[in-house]
Amino acid sequence: MRRRLGLSACAAALAALTGVLRFWWDDAATEGVLVSAIGTLVSVAALVADVLRGDADPAPRSADEDRRRAADALAEAVREQWAAEARLRRLQDPEPIEVGWAPADRRLADHPENVGRGGRLPAPRAWRVEDLAAWFAGLPGRRLVVLGGPGSGKSVLAVRFVLARLAARRPGGPVPVLFPLAGWDPRHTGLRDWLADRLAADYRPLGAVLDGSRTLARGLLDTGLVLPVLDGFDELARPAYGEAVRRINAELDDDLPLLLTSRRAAWSAAVADGDVLTAAEVVELRPLDLAQASAHLERTARPLRTADGAPGTVWTPVLRELARRPRSAPARALTTPLMVTLARAVYGDTSRDPSELLDRERFASAGAVEEHLLGAFVPAAFADTDPRTASDAVRRLTLLARALHRRDTGRLAWWELESLLPRALRVFGPGLLSMAVLSALLLPVTVTRAVHQLAGVEDVLSLVAALVGQTLGFAFGVARLLPDGADGPDGGPAGEPNRRFLVRQGLTVVGVTGALWAAVAYADDLRFGFRFGSVTDGWLPDLLGGALFSLLFTLFFGTAGLSRRPVPLGLPWSGAGERATARLGGAVLLLGGAGTAGTVLLGRTGDPWTVLVGVTAAGAGTALLVSATRRAGREGALPARPGRVVRRFAAGMVRGTAVTLLTGVTACTLAGLAATGVTLLKSGAAPDLAGRHLDGWRFTEHDGVRTAATVRPVRGTLLLPGAGARPIAYPRGAEPPDCTIPLVPERRCVAFHSRETEFESRGGAVTVRLAAAAARPAAHEPARSSARGPVTVAYAANLRSVLPPDARAWLTQGPATAFAARCLPPFVAAGALVGLVGGCVCGIYRALSVPSDTMRATGPASSLRTDRTASFTRGGVVALLVACVCVPVTLLPGDWGGLVHVGTQLWLPLGTTAVALSAWGRFAVARVWLGVTGGLPWRLMAFLEDAHRRGVLRRSGAYFEFRHLRLQSHLAHDDIPASGPADAPPRPREAPGEPAGERGERGDRPFR
């Protein structure tokens, strides 16, 4: 209640403040920006105060208590995950296929004395899978190996075993967790290390560090609170079988229970190469006999009347024939649960008749029957759609199966769909997305400028060159300046990058920056001095400048730890207090941003930058509200720690500022030296023009002061920075950057028409005097009055194009040290600004990034929404905080060095970069490309969810998987069908006494 009252009070205060500023402040643009700035400060203050205070100091708990609570949360998540999967497979509809089991060859198991631990082994209650879990609990060592052939039901047994053990589990007891072994390489990774990594990756909260060295996942393993269920031993590499068994025996405690599934041949090879599993009993699943398969198919098919009028099903005549031919290909194929469930799914639709399986010519072997059922399953799953949709579904699932096969995995993650893109697009895609979002946000600015003045050809070329340069620089940064999995702390995949990567990153930035600035100096004319935002000679400097600009973005986020292959991230709201604070901050930002943008809509100001500030603040506020309201799952297993977010922000900012300040100052200083050296080297000797006339120019020299004067009209635009600073002159056709800034009301641009222009050089430092300007400067602006009329002294570098080439060289002659003194300071100052901005980015990324809670996520779509909301939140907050940091830069007297241009150009692109480099940003690029090329549908997640609902895919946390590895393998090695309508399905069979085409209620179930 107190937080709600506080939210209402803050909203009322912000509305009142807006009204006061409306009447007291003359400049509406400044008023709007102040409202947004105050809203940002209020949000940050509320976050700091509430998080430092915390909900309440949690009662101290022991590490054992924390582990037990985490184990209980893990058990709930595992139960929800596999219970949902069992419902989707309809294991109880009407009941699972009952597979028998029996003790395996004793040569594949340990000695009975070791298995029984000196006692007698319990006698099995029955030879059925449903009794296996209870029999397992009676084993003294509680270790069991289950063998079976392909499709014999090993994975279904593992799922049923997990659910049975969870039903019998008591609070604080071991949690059965299913681990597919396909991703383990026992030759390079220990079992415990791999199990801990898989737990932390699949159930993100278990990645929390307990005591500075061990994760919570490792703590659960070490204390015996995890019962590993290792599924698919046969999916390991064949040479690793023996090493895998040795690793398991060496790393598992004596009292740690274990269940392992494998094919018989793989386990026999492992025992021959390595050893038996210590203290483990070994059992083997029996093949189904024809009577079991027939009973299941008859029970799950729709009742019909056969030709003789007796009750039956569509399977009745087929099964009678197979009973007479028990060695036939279909009878031998229907001995595994996989093939039986496939047959049920394929012929559950009235469009197909199972009597086709009796064709001896088509199905001469059991393998031919199995391939037929595997190939017919996906079309059967989509049988209720039109032929084109079914054909497209087969083609798209084949594409996904091949992608998984190339990556040697069975898990399909939405954030890994980027691997389906061409390599060039994987590198260039994030930059293109960032510029697309930025272009959409800058639309008001573009439209406003277009209304006032149409861009010329040179402006268009410069803009295109800058965009191309930014794309190239972004691509290089993505490829070279972002860490990969080996660059995390201690070689881990997450967290801040290690020192080795930071050194490599810094050296890369220093070298590339120096080389690019040397090229800029070679292509451009820097002899008149350097300031950011100046007019360049041609498009090449603009291209190089765009590349330099975008390199900064990837430098910041690479230093912060954003991976080259990002994973889903969430926001750190883990308690009611933090969520309430986030909602408060979001509401304040939303109201402040809406008020700021409203000043433009109400006609109080036409400044487009005011709209951008308001829209960004409102967007960040909306994202904060959504992130604090919508939950992907329940709260984390560990309690929120007061001040955690603030401490993470402070630690990230300190570390980020130190790294980026060192890198930025070093790179910019070297870049300034490189640009200075190249400019001096290419300058050469200049002709003596004193006392001469050339192309309408008169050249004189008195007491070391050189002048070049002309009476030809010169037109252009003056940028008046305000505060008595020297104006900056721009030639006609060149638009000055940032003519208006909300917080600097004196800053503006005016056109000039000089009837007499004079360049003056003192020691190589050149200024220009413009006589009889079209607009008389204000009293605080430097001007001289003479008989010729008002004279304005302005910065001359941008007007160098009106001078003859020899005149440029003659005017800029001077000592090299003086030239270096004019050029280097803006570079060094820019390096300092890079450090400050980089610290803010690192602090925000560190504070507002936590591993996505896939442990409690309801599915991949939930994980996607969480990452998308978090990405937009981070992007908006980064943009606003960087804008606040750059405010002092915009207030520098006289726009020193053109740093105002750097400050105004940094904040918004950094926000869009945060979105583009996220996992959701990469997914958006992949989705667009695959949708345009027709590889996958535009509504990709909806298609995958539909395939999951139809039983083709299954969900495992935030991942999709094919229902069975054999189905994935079949699709991966099959030809991708061409897009288009499929062949017409066979004519629906007609049951006696029933209208054609009528479908039974049981016909559309997925196989299990």
Side-chain angles (χ1 to χ4, degrees), residues 434-747:
S434 176
M435 284 187 290
V437 177
L438 183 62
S439 299
L441 292 175
L442 289 177
L443 186 61
V445 179
T446 305
V447 172
T448 302
R449 288 182 174 176
V451 169
H452 286 83
Q453 180 179 358
L454 294 176
V457 176
E458 294 182 359
D459 292 331
V460 174
L461 291 177
S462 297
L463 177 62
V464 171
L467 292 177
V468 172
Q470 289 183 26
T471 305
L472 295 174
F474 214 115
F476 178 85
V478 168
R480 298 297 180 185
L481 301 184
L482 297 182
D484 57 19
D487 294 322
D490 301 325
E496 296 175 342
N498 56 34
R499 185 175 302 175
R500 183 179 63 255
F501 168 78
L502 293 176
V503 171
R504 186 171 70 248
Q505 181 197 58
L507 293 176
T508 302
V509 170
V510 169
V512 173
T513 302
L516 288 177
W517 271 111
V520 169
Y522 182 81
D524 203 1
D525 190 352
L526 302 183
R527 292 173 295 182
F528 282 76
F530 173 77
R531 60 177 285 118
F532 294 98
S534 297
V535 177
T536 58
D537 291 340
W539 57 268
L540 184 57
D542 293 315
L543 185 144
L544 298 173
L548 284 163
F549 194 61
S550 57
L551 274 179
L552 290 178
F553 306 150
T554 50
L555 167 66
F556 296 151
F557 287 99
T559 304
L562 182 60
S563 174
R564 195 179 306 166
R565 287 176 285 273
V567 296
L569 295 174
L571 293 168
W573 323 134
S574 58
E578 290 185 1
R579 291 186 178 276
T581 304
R583 287 195 292 269
L584 173 63
V588 172
L589 282 176
L590 178 58
L591 292 174
T596 302
T599 60
V600 178
L601 298 178
L602 295 176
R604 290 276 294 154
T605 179
D607 189 349
W609 292 108
T610 305
V611 181
L612 288 180
V613 172
V615 170
T616 305
T622 303
L624 274 174
L625 283 172
V626 172
S627 68
T629 304
R630 177 188 295 168
R631 304 185 186 185
R634 296 176 179 82
E635 303 292 353
L638 295 180
R641 304 297 185 188
R644 172 174 52 91
V645 177
V646 176
R647 286 195 297 270
R648 286 172 63 88
F649 173 77
M653 186 171 183
V654 170
R655 174 187 170 94
T657 301
V659 173
T660 55
L661 186 63
L662 176 62
T663 303
V665 171
T666 302
C668 290
T669 302
L670 179 63
L673 292 173
T676 301
V678 171
T679 301
L680 292 174
L681 287 175
K682 77 171 191 175
S683 296
D688 186 7
L689 300 180
R692 296 176 56 185
H693 291 76
L694 180 65
D695 294 337
W697 290 85
R698 183 180 70 257
F699 301 95
T700 60
E701 182 174 5
H702 298 286
D703 298 329
V705 179
R706 298 180 177 183
T707 61
T710 184
V711 295
R712 291 189 303 188
V714 176
R715 292 181 174 86
T717 305
L718 285 177
L719 172 60
L720 307 178
R726 176 176 295 171
I728 299 99
Y730 286 81
R732 187 177 185 180
E735 182 72 15
D738 309 314
C739 284
T740 59
I741 296 178
L743 296 178
V744 188
E746 311 89 38
R747 185 183 177 101

Side-chain angles (χ1 to χ4, degrees), residues 371-422:
E371 289 300 312
H372 165 72
L373 294 176
L374 288 168
F377 170 67
V378 176
F382 288 86
D384 59 340
T385 63
D386 59 88
R388 183 184 182 89
T389 300
S391 176
D392 287 343
V394 174
R395 175 175 55 82
R396 292 160 178 168
L397 291 168
T398 300
L399 179 67
L400 293 175
R402 289 188 172 182
L404 295 179
H405 180 74
R406 285 193 300 269
R407 296 176 53 241
D408 194 23
T409 182
R411 314 186 80 178
L412 175 64
W414 60 263
W415 60 91
E416 294 174 348
L417 287 175
E418 188 185 26
S419 62
L420 295 176
L421 303 181

Side-chain angles (χ1 to χ4, degrees), residues 810-824:
W810 181 70
L811 287 172
T812 55
Q813 274 189 327
T817 54
F819 174 72
R822 293 194 301 271
C823 281
L824 282 179

Side-chain angles (χ1 to χ4, degrees), residues 809-992:
W810 181 70
L811 287 172
T812 55
Q813 274 189 327
T817 54
F819 174 72
R822 293 194 301 271
C823 281
L824 282 179
F827 283 95
V828 179
L833 181 61
V834 165
L836 294 176
V837 173
C840 292
V841 173
C842 293
I844 291 296
Y845 186 83
R846 177 78 185 276
L848 298 184
S849 298
V850 295
S852 185
D853 192 0
T854 55
M855 177 177 178
R856 306 297 182 88
T858 57
S862 173
S863 173
L864 176 62
R865 288 193 300 268
T866 300
D867 186 79
R868 179 177 58 204
T869 302
S871 300
F872 278 99
T873 301
R874 281 190 296 270
V877 174
V878 162
L880 290 176
L881 189 58
V882 171
C884 292
V885 169
C886 292
V887 165
V889 177
T890 63
L891 300 178
L892 286 176
D895 190 9
W896 183 82
L899 289 179
V900 170
H901 178 66
V902 178
T904 57
Q905 298 299 312
L906 270 179
W907 66 280
L908 194 58
L910 276 172
T912 60
T913 299
V915 174
L917 290 179
S918 65
W920 178 84
R922 307 297 184 90
F923 168 77
V925 174
R927 178 184 176 185
V928 171
W929 171 260
L930 295 171
V932 169
T933 58
L936 292 173
W938 283 98
R939 299 185 61 193
L940 176 56
M941 295 303 291
F943 168 73
L944 296 177
E945 289 289 350
D946 184 48
H948 170 252
R949 181 179 60 83
R950 295 174 182 276
V952 181
L953 300 177
R954 66 184 181 190
R955 289 193 309 206
S956 177
Y959 297 88
F960 284 108
E961 298 174 352
F962 279 91
R963 182 65 64 189
H964 195 278
L965 188 61
R966 284 201 64 186
L967 177 62
Q968 175 184 324
S969 178
H970 173 84
L971 291 173
H973 294 89
D974 199 6
D975 292 332
I976 298 181
S979 178
D983 295 336
R987 181 177 178 177
R989 60 177 182 264
E990 299 182 11

